[in-house]
Amino acid sequence: MSNAYVGAVPVRPEAEYELPPLPPQAAETPLPWHERLWQHAGLRKLAILALLAAIWELAARYTDNDLLLPSASQTAVAFVQGIAGGELLARAGQSLRVLAQGYAAGVALAFVLTTLAVSTRFGRDLLSTLTAMFNPLPAIALLPLALLWFGLGEGSLVFVLIHSVLWALALNTYAGFLGVSETLRMAGRNYGLSGLRYVLQILVPAALPAILAGLRIGWAFAWRTLIAAELVFGASSGKGGLGWYIFQNRNELYTDRVFAGLAAVVIIGLLVENLVFDTVERFTVRRWGMQR
């Protein structure tokens, strides 16, 4: 019965169909030059910056008060003079050196806390309690205590930087760890991984997009916290960073230098975002298909 049924089913004959070729213009005509240029993200960002600079120049010319709002061209001259004289580079180097210390310490502490949180119940409770307590607290609010404990120097700056980095990175990293699929977790356990090896070989690669996002947020928090802290006291033994450079020139009414210092802060932020974090993402999570 089954053979008769199968034989009764009609069989469609195989057929090949030739598709018409594409029109020559559709296959060979390139995009116009302006559309090809617009495909580059760097050029689009430069166009946005040029537009903002033009708006700034027009606003300064309309205000016509160099003390309140120097023009973009005056700020550029002050910026070049600060670079040529070496003062702006020295201030920026001082700020970046302190930032590197506080950022590295904050990243290390965040890794320790999140590793403890994914390993033990006490660690989860500890991380949850500490982040609920200290994450809403602005880092700059701890500056008076830092001055009492560590004095007028780099120790106080490093302390507030650790606070600004630690909680944002710990929350993002722990959220990334929680989002790791159960399949990867079981694969790690089947290979006998546990403790630090389990975290480094299973959780960290799988949660890398969330970790990089936390590193970005922590960097932004640390950079603006450092500039704000330097604006408050910032100088130790005659050495201050960009925040102190801005504050000092503001007291001397060199507004163009104040804007040059602010421009240096923005430029450093853009360079770190585009040259460091974007490069790391391009060679890791984007290359591996973990992020669009």
Side-chain angles (χ1 to χ4, degrees):
M1 181 177 179
S2 59
N3 292 334
Y5 178 75
V6 172
V9 176
V11 178
R12 296 179 59 184
E14 296 184 0
E16 294 183 0
Y17 301 95
E18 293 186 2
L19 297 177
L22 292 175
Q25 63 273 13
E28 299 176 1
T29 303
L31 291 173
W33 64 270
H34 60 278
E35 292 187 11
R36 293 199 304 271
L37 288 177
W38 195 247
Q39 298 297 322
H40 296 278
L43 291 178
R44 294 196 301 269
K45 293 178 181 179
L46 287 177
I48 293 173
L49 293 177
L51 177 61
L52 293 176
I55 295 174
W56 178 6
E57 186 75 23
L58 292 175
R61 292 180 183 274
Y62 177 79
T63 305
D64 196 20
N65 190 332
D66 296 341
L67 185 62
L68 293 180
L69 182 63
S71 65
S73 57
Q74 291 174 323
T75 302
V77 171
F79 183 83
V80 172
Q81 291 176 348
I83 294 293
E87 183 180 8
L88 198 55
L89 288 176
R91 303 291 186 177
Q94 173 74 10
S95 293
L96 290 175
R97 187 175 62 83
V98 177
L99 178 70
Q101 298 176 20
Y103 189 75
V107 170
L109 288 175
F111 181 76
V112 171
L113 275 178
T114 50
T115 301
L116 187 63
V118 297
S119 302
T120 63
R121 182 177 299 176
F122 172 77
R124 290 193 296 271
D125 295 338
L126 178 65
L127 180 62
S128 176
T129 304
L130 292 180
T131 51
M133 290 172 57
F134 294 114
N135 192 42
L137 184 64
I140 199 67
L142 295 176
L143 189 56
L145 286 177
L147 292 175
L148 288 175
W149 293 342
F150 303 103
L152 189 65
E154 293 182 1
S156 300
L157 293 175
V158 171
F159 178 78
V160 296
L161 288 176
I162 291 174
H163 174 82
S164 63
V165 174
L166 175 57
W167 311 115
L169 179 57
L171 282 175
N172 271 62
T173 303
Y174 185 62
F177 286 170
L178 292 180
V180 176
S181 67
E182 193 62 30
T183 303
L184 288 175
R185 294 175 183 272
M186 289 189 294
R189 296 190 189 100
N190 289 337
Y191 278 103
L193 300 178
S194 62
L196 187 60
R197 291 180 59 204
Y198 175 75
V199 173
L200 292 177
Q201 297 183 29
I202 299 297
L203 296 184
V204 170
L208 196 56
I211 295 174
L212 287 178
L215 289 172
R216 277 181 182 269
I217 296 172
W219 145 256
F221 284 178
W223 186 228
R224 67 188 188 186
T225 298
L226 176 63
I227 299 303
E230 288 179 342
L231 281 169
V232 174
F233 70 98
S236 174
S237 302
K239 298 178 182 179
L242 279 175
W244 185 252
Y245 176 85
I246 295 169
F247 182 76
Q248 189 178 31
N249 284 288
R250 175 259 181 192
N251 288 338
E252 297 174 2
L253 298 180
Y254 292 126
T255 314
D256 54 346
R257 296 183 184 178
V258 172
F259 275 82
L262 293 173
V265 173
V266 173
I267 290 172
I268 291 174
L270 289 174
L271 290 177
V272 172
E273 284 285 337
N274 291 278
L275 297 183
V276 178
F277 289 111
D278 282 354
T279 302
V280 172
E281 284 187 352
R282 185 168 62 253
F283 283 99
T284 54
V285 295
R286 293 181 188 173
R287 184 176 181 180
W288 300 335
M290 301 168 66
Q291 191 178 69
R292 299 181 65 182

